Amino acid sequence: MGVGTVSRVINGSASVSEATRRRVLEVVAELGYEPNPTARALSTGRTRSVGVIAPFFTRPSVIDRLRGVSPLLASSGYQLVLFDVERPEQRTNVFRSVIGRVDGLLTISLAPSKAELRRLAAAGIPVVLVDQAHDSVATVTVDDLEGGRMATEHLLSLGHRRIAFAGDTVDGVHGASASSRRCAGYQRALS
C-alpha cells in the first residue's frame, strides 16, 4: 500500500475500496498510529481549534462561560485554546497572534477593533463576541441595564430602602462595561 492510499483512508476519502480501507484501518490500529495534528493543520489549513480570548480568565463569570464552551467544542472534535488578556497592552498582540492558530474565535468582554475584524475576516476566522454588542459580528449578550433594574426593583418591592450597589472594580480596563450598565439599571430603579 502506498502513502497516498493510507492518507485517503485516514482522511475518509470515498475513493478507496472497502477491502483496502479495512486492511489499512487494521494496520493503523495494530500500530497505534495517531495522525499528527500539526501536520494535518499544515496540509488542510484547518487547526480544529477555537480560540477564546478572555480578560481575567480566572474570574468566576469567565470560568462559567468556559465551562459551557469547553465540552461543546470537545464533543465537536475541536480543542479550546485560551488567550488570557490581563493588561490592555496585551490586547492588540493577542488579536494578531490568533491568525493561523485557530479556525474560529470567541471573545469574552473584548470587542476587536475594525482593523482587527478586517484582518480576522481576511484570514477566514469567524468571530463571536460574548458580553459585547456589535453591529457587524455575531454576539451573545445579557441586558445588564435591565438586570440591574430588575434586581433593584425586586429589593424595593420587598420593602428595602437602603440598597447599595457593589460592582466590578476592573470595569473599563478593557472597555468592558457590564458593571456600569448594571449600575445604571440600579440607579434607574431607585429614581
Side-chain angles (χ1 to χ4, degrees):
M1 270 178 257
V3 173
T5 302
V6 173
S7 177
R8 284 189 292 279
V9 170
I10 290 172
N11 290 310
S13 174
S15 66
V16 179
S17 74
E18 191 54 40
T20 301
R21 180 179 315 286
R22 275 196 303 271
R23 281 195 328 230
V24 168
L25 291 175
E26 286 171 6
V27 172
V28 164
E30 183 181 312
L31 295 175
Y33 173 77
E34 293 286 331
N36 181 312
T38 304
R40 180 170 266 182
L42 287 172
S43 69
T44 65
R46 307 310 305 164
T47 64
R48 301 293 297 167
S49 298
V50 172
V52 176
I53 296 177
F56 312 105
F57 78 93
T58 57
R59 302 193 73 188
S61 63
V62 175
I63 291 170
D64 283 342
R65 286 162 177 83
L66 292 174
R67 276 192 194 120
V69 170
S70 182
L72 181 62
L73 289 175
S75 70
S76 299
Y78 282 83
Q79 68 181 50
L80 182 147
V81 180
L82 181 61
F83 298 91
D84 183 30
V85 179
E86 294 201 16
R87 295 182 319 278
E89 58 271 14
Q90 291 175 297
R91 190 187 166 289
T92 301
N93 220 17
V94 168
F95 278 107
R96 283 191 182 135
S97 73
V98 299
I99 294 175
R101 297 174 65 186
V102 298
D103 294 336
L105 187 60
L106 181 68
T107 175
I108 300 172
S109 300
L110 295 174
S113 69
K114 288 180 183 180
E116 289 163 339
L117 283 174
R118 280 193 301 273
R119 274 195 298 279
L120 292 164
I125 299 174
V127 176
V128 175
L129 304 181
V130 177
D131 293 337
Q132 283 289 323
H134 201 280
D135 56 353
S136 65
V137 178
T139 62
V140 178
T141 59
V142 171
D143 188 342
D144 292 303
L145 180 75
E146 182 65 6
R149 186 197 61 74
M150 288 173 63
T152 306
E153 283 186 1
H154 173 71
L155 293 172
L156 289 169
S157 75
L158 295 175
H160 299 286
R161 294 295 173 252
R162 294 178 45 164
I163 303 168
F165 177 84
D168 254 333
T169 58
V170 295
D171 199 42
V173 170
H174 292 293
S177 58
S179 189
S180 302
R181 292 187 300 265
R182 290 178 194 136
C183 185
Y186 154 82
Q187 291 169 336
R188 184 177 289 177
L190 288 179
S191 63

